[in-house]
Amino acid sequence: MPQPHDFSIGIDFGTSNTVVAIASPDGQVEALTFEHGGESLKVYVTALCFWDERHGNGLRTQVEGGPWAIEQFLEGLHAHRFIQSFKTFAASATFKETRIFRERYGFEDLLSAFLRTLVRHGGSRLDWSARNVIIGRPVQFAGYNPNDDLAMQRYRAAFGRLGAEHARYVYEPVGAAFFYARQLDHDATVLVADFGGGTSDFSVMRFSKAGGVLRAEPLGHAGIGIAGDAFDYRIVDRVVSPRLGKGGLYRSMDKILSIPNHYYANFARWNQLAMMKGSGDLKELRELARAALEPEPLEKFIDIVEYDLGFALYRAVSSAKVALSSQEETDFSFRSEGVDIQARITRADFDGWIAEDVQKIAGTVDEALAKAGVKPEQIERVFLTGGTSFVPTIRRLFVERFGESCLTSADQFESIAYGLALIGQSEEPGRWAVAN
């Protein structure tokens, strides 16, 4: 019977969700499950909830992650900070820290706190002494002017705190490619398109089998910090923000000025919205509301930040986006704490809002092909993974370039982690590791 250290672990730390897979030496692979609310979950939501509890004469900060973070947040029994999409800060040199109650947290602190909750709920199978620990990373990190070296320093510091100093880091679409390659019964050149919450990553791989052994050659990679969260941004920016004072005016001395747009840019990004309560933005917004010609919309904006309604808003936006993947129009609905926003969204509207994003994604696909020295007609299979791959205009992009018959897909959440774990059991797992 294989010993625990003979197993390999694949970790897909995602912007929206995190999945852990475990592979045994015989090639069997399965996702780590989390028992919550009577369900066995294979997906661990990438979210944190901090709250204070009284111990003796003082307060002690508690933290939960995944579905337990959401549960704690929704119960609302204590003052809390709810944080989501924090992976987006990984490569940001401007993000130094955030204050949570009495302590300051850098990115490494947030990630290690999240990982500790994952270990606590994952049980003994999540053993960092496994023969190989393979962690996914984007080809291109999200954010403005992302610093890949900084992101990897932060990853290594956070995972190192939990005993995974020996971990290897592999491009996420390469993990997805290994998962898909198990289906191949012949040699093939494959384009893997991985659409996450923060990034869209593409890898061109050449797979061959000899003597029953799968061999793979990476031909080219490219990525861009535009994905599901960016599409959410467009909905918030066009549907929600105008009803919360965007484009409004305020009086300063004897001048009438426009309300600064940067508050709405932060508001429409899930990672930034999660941080607004702990920054000076809330105080500034209250001052603007007192001077606004129409204060009520700004007051609703303040309520969303003050009452931590970002997660509820995220779910409403996500529901609308998913509905538009199968319907020509949908009703957007958000009601909470006196804030009531209703709107009709058509797919044509949504397609227009994301057109520039889709064009940039298309350019990144072309970049991956160019780096690989491969023309579209030389791609035999296109493997799509991630929820954004179901957006009709994204799927149409690949159909037009490669043809419907070339496209295939798999589980939108688990394929990357499965593939990463399988790389850990391959002949040369170190070959796939990214240098930095």
Side-chain angles (χ1 to χ4, degrees):
M1 181 176 179
Q3 297 301 307
H5 62 269
D6 292 329
F7 289 82
S8 61
I9 296 173
I11 302 175
D12 177 21
F13 165 57
T15 303
S16 303
N17 299 286
T18 294
V19 180
V20 179
I22 300 173
S24 57
D26 62 2
Q28 297 298 309
V29 61
E30 60 181 327
L32 188 69
T33 57
F34 302 89
E35 303 299 325
H36 178 266
E39 293 184 86
S40 293
L41 305 175
K42 295 181 178 180
V43 172
Y44 195 83
V45 178
T46 307
L48 284 164
C49 187
F50 297 84
W51 73 96
D52 266 348
E53 285 187 1
R54 185 163 294 282
H55 287 261
N57 295 324
L59 294 172
R60 183 179 300 172
T61 301
Q62 309 291 329
V63 60
E64 266 296 2
W68 287 270
I70 296 173
E71 180 181 58
Q72 183 68 36
F73 162 69
L74 293 177
E75 285 179 355
L77 299 179
H78 308 276
H80 57 258
R81 282 285 307 281
F82 183 79
I83 296 174
Q84 63 186 111
S85 294
F86 66 92
K87 179 182 176 181
T88 310
F89 291 120
S92 172
T94 60
F95 179 76
K96 305 294 185 183
E97 60 185 25
T98 184
R99 181 177 285 277
I100 298 175
F101 302 126
R102 296 158 301 283
E103 298 181 36
R104 299 179 185 275
Y105 285 76
F107 177 82
E108 300 94 323
D109 304 314
L110 294 173
L111 178 52
S112 59
F114 173 76
L115 293 172
R116 287 190 182 98
T117 72
L118 188 148
V119 170
R120 186 166 70 242
H121 295 296
S124 60
R125 296 197 68 195
L126 185 48
D127 185 350
W128 298 112
S129 68
R131 184 179 70 174
N132 284 300
V133 177
I134 312 296
I135 300 167
R137 58 146 290 179
V139 175
Q140 173 71 60
F141 279 91
Y144 173 73
N145 194 25
N147 184 326
D148 277 23
D149 290 339
L150 176 62
M152 293 312 300
Q153 288 172 17
R154 289 170 165 176
Y155 268 45
R156 293 185 190 281
F159 280 96
R161 291 178 189 178
L162 279 82
E165 299 91 344
H166 64 299
R168 295 184 172 98
Y169 295 83
V170 172
Y171 287 137
E172 290 160 358
V174 173
F178 265 77
F179 173 78
Y180 168 68
R182 297 197 303 173
Q183 307 173 21
L184 291 174
D185 56 7
H186 63 283
D187 297 355
T189 302
V190 177
L191 169 66
V192 179
D194 166 36
F195 295 96
T199 63
S200 297
D201 296 315
F202 309 97
S203 286
V204 181
M205 308 279 291
R206 178 66 183 173
F207 288 101
S208 60
K209 279 188 176 180
V213 178
L214 176 69
R215 301 193 181 279
E217 179 186 0
L219 303 180
H221 310 287
I224 189 169
I226 296 174
D229 282 2
F231 292 178
D232 291 350
Y233 173 92
R234 302 303 175 189
I235 294 176
V236 176
D237 189 54
R238 298 299 186 106
V239 176
V240 180
S241 292
R243 292 164 170 83
L244 301 176
K246 183 182 178 183
L249 303 172
Y250 73 101
R251 188 183 303 277
S252 177
M253 306 296 284
D254 58 346
K255 296 181 180 179
I256 302 298
L257 304 173
S258 297
I259 294 171
N261 193 55
H262 72 86
Y263 297 110
Y264 296 94
N266 288 343
F267 176 76
R269 293 183 171 91
W270 304 128
N271 61 314
Q272 296 287 353
L273 176 57
M275 298 298 172
M276 288 185 77
K277 189 174 181 179
S279 70
D281 287 344
L282 201 53
K283 179 182 178 182
E284 293 171 10
L285 285 169
R286 290 193 179 105
E287 292 172 355
L288 280 171
R290 285 193 289 269
L293 302 191
E294 295 183 46
E296 186 177 353
L298 263 178
E299 288 166 355
K300 291 180 179 179
F301 183 170
I302 292 166
D303 286 344
I304 290 176
V305 176
E306 188 165 32
Y307 294 113
D308 292 305
L309 304 184
F311 180 69
L313 179 61
Y314 163 81
R315 291 201 292 191
V317 170
S318 181
S319 294
K321 184 175 65 175
V322 170
L324 290 170
S325 291
S326 58
Q327 303 167 198
E328 291 298 324
E329 55 184 28
T330 189
D331 288 318
F332 175 85
S333 178
F334 175 74
R335 290 189 180 97
S336 187
E337 298 290 342
V339 181
D340 188 348
I341 300 173
Q342 310 294 319
R344 191 75 171 165
I345 306 175
T346 68
R347 185 187 293 174
D349 288 336
F350 181 60
D351 286 350
W353 299 340
I354 66 173
E356 185 178 342
D357 297 325
V358 173
Q359 186 176 11
K360 290 177 180 178
I361 288 171
T364 309
V365 173
D366 293 339
E367 181 186 346
L369 295 175
K371 287 181 175 179
V374 170
K375 296 178 180 178
E377 57 268 24
Q378 293 175 290
I379 296 292
E380 296 161 71
R381 284 287 184 270
V382 178
F383 179 55
L384 303 172
T385 184
T388 302
S389 65
F390 293 102
V391 173
T393 188
I394 289 291
R395 186 171 182 87
R396 189 161 56 247
L397 161 66
F398 288 92
V399 170
E400 290 173 353
R401 271 176 167 70
F402 305 102
E404 184 76 49
S405 62
C406 279
L407 271 57
T408 186
S409 60
D411 186 281
Q412 59 178 314
F413 293 123
E414 298 166 27
S415 56
I416 294 173
Y418 277 40
L420 294 171
L422 290 169
I423 287 173
Q425 294 292 352
S426 66
E427 288 184 329
E428 299 178 82
R431 179 187 176 196
W432 305 102
V434 183
N436 62 344

